Structures are given as C-alpha cells and as structure tokens.
Amino acid sequence: HSVFEHNTFSFNGTSGLVVVDGSSATVTRNTVTGSNGYGIVLFGVTDSIINKNRLDHNDHGILGDASSRNVVDDNNVSYSDGSSIDFGNGATANRIEHNRLDNNGDGIIATNADHNVISKNIVTGSGNYGFADTGGFGLLLDRTGDKLVENNTNTRGRGPAAFVSSLAPPNPSPGHSTTRKAPTHRRNNGTSGNNDRPRTTATHTPP
C-alpha cells in the first residue's frame, strides 16, 4: 500500500505524478502545476484512491489508462489545456465523483470504458480555456457501456454539456472524423512512456 500525500510538483517537462501497475495506492492532497502532460497518470492501476488533489495549469488533469476499481473524488482541476479527467483503454468499475473542474479545455472523458460511475461532479467553463481543438465538452462518453451518470452539473461551457457517441467506427466515412493528440510518457523512468491513449478531446464532424 503506497501513499503519495502533500507533495508539490511544479513546471515539469512531462507529467506530474505517474503510477504504473500499482494496487491499493492513495494519492491525496498533492498539488501539480504547469506540467507538459497530465497532472496525475494511472497506468494499469487498481483499487486505489485519488482524492483531494489540486491540479492547475497543466496540459491535462487526471488520466486513468486501463485502470479499474479506483475512486477519483473531491479533486480540483482548473485551467488544463485539454481534458480534466480522462479514463479509457479498458478502464472499468471506477467511481468519478465530487470533483470540481473549472475552465479546462474539456471536462470528463470516458473512452472504451465500461461499468463506471460518474456522479456529482461540477464542471464549469469547459472550452473557454485551452487547446484550440478542444470541443468544450462537459462530459464525453465514447464507446462506453453499463455506466451510471447522475447528478452532475455543467455550466457556462462552450460545447455540449454531455455528448454520448461512438466517435471512431471501424471504417469511418469521410464525414466522420476523430482528431486527438497523444501524450509522450516514458514508462522506463516512471515519469514519462509512449502511450496510445488520447491526450485531448475528439472533434466530431457529422456526415
């Protein structure tokens, strides 16, 4: 059982705090500012708690890649250029609750992620700050199933409050495109690896 508590990470070249293939970790009351990646990254992490962290002016907020049964709650994410909270690549049975997400490129993104609970989050001003190609989504669910989404609040965003779709069909037509940017993380040193998860949001061009 690892605990990461009361740390401050500022203006790092890649991401702030990266946890790889861990279980039963607690990441709490940390401050991450100015990272050129995600503030907090989970690769293959299970049964862990990510709460009461403050992430400000990073490229992105929290990433959960192939991570399951985690609780992400009561975090404050503000002024991220891309997504605030981004779970996918088989992320299952996570609880994303009571987070406050202010003035980020996008709010909560779930892609290829099933059986997750997204509840009681407050999302404000998505898309009014950040990368030019963000969609300003409050909530984007792409190829997700068996989910519970309830009691979330989205205000003053530039894009849809909630968008549910499959943005990347196996054989997309010319009028249906997905644009994403990928982060660079080097897993060999535990702080950065090349990862295929999307770094920022998808832009959907309808047929």
Side-chain angles (χ1 to χ4, degrees):
H1 179 72
S2 299
V3 178
F4 303 89
E5 185 176 12
H6 292 295
N7 299 287
T8 299
F9 304 99
S10 301
F11 302 101
N12 298 286
T14 54
S15 293
L17 175 61
V18 180
V19 183
V20 180
D21 297 331
S23 180
S24 302
T26 299
V27 179
T28 185
R29 300 182 188 278
N30 300 285
T31 300
V32 185
T33 304
S35 294
N36 294 326
Y38 287 89
I40 296 173
V41 178
L42 311 176
F43 285 123
V45 173
T46 59
D47 302 304
S48 296
I49 297 172
I50 315 299
N51 76 337
K52 299 185 186 303
N53 298 286
R54 181 172 295 277
L55 312 180
D56 185 59
H57 282 94
N58 302 287
D59 273 10
H60 304 272
I62 299 170
L63 172 65
D65 184 276
S67 296
S68 300
R69 301 185 306 277
N70 301 291
V71 176
V72 179
D73 76 311
D74 201 18
N75 299 284
N76 284 274
V77 183
S78 59
Y79 295 100
S80 298
D81 290 311
S83 57
S84 306
I85 299 176
D86 188 350
F87 268 68
N89 194 20
T92 60
N94 298 286
R95 302 187 69 89
I96 302 171
E97 301 176 306
H98 299 284
N99 299 285
R100 186 171 186 93
L101 314 175
D102 295 321
N103 296 304
N104 302 285
D106 289 295
I108 299 170
I109 298 176
T111 307
N112 288 330
D114 297 330
H115 309 292
N116 295 291
V117 175
I118 301 173
S119 176
K120 300 182 179 67
N121 301 283
I122 299 175
V123 185
T124 305
S126 292
N128 296 322
Y129 178 89
F131 294 127
D133 62 349
T134 56
F137 297 101
L139 176 62
L140 172 60
L141 304 177
D142 177 14
R143 291 162 286 158
T144 62
D146 297 324
K147 54 193 171 289
L148 175 62
V149 180
E150 64 176 1
N151 297 319
N152 298 285
T153 301
N154 184 79
T155 57
R156 298 196 300 275
R158 180 171 56 83
F163 192 94
V164 183
S165 186
S166 178
L167 296 180
N171 298 297
S173 67
H176 190 130
S177 63
T178 302
T179 302
R180 296 173 187 259
K181 293 182 178 179
T184 300
H185 299 294
R186 288 186 296 278
R187 296 181 67 160
N188 57 354
N189 64 7
T191 58
S192 57
N194 200 358
N195 175 31
D196 292 332
R197 286 283 297 119
R199 184 179 97 155
T200 187
T201 65
T203 56
H204 175 227
T205 304

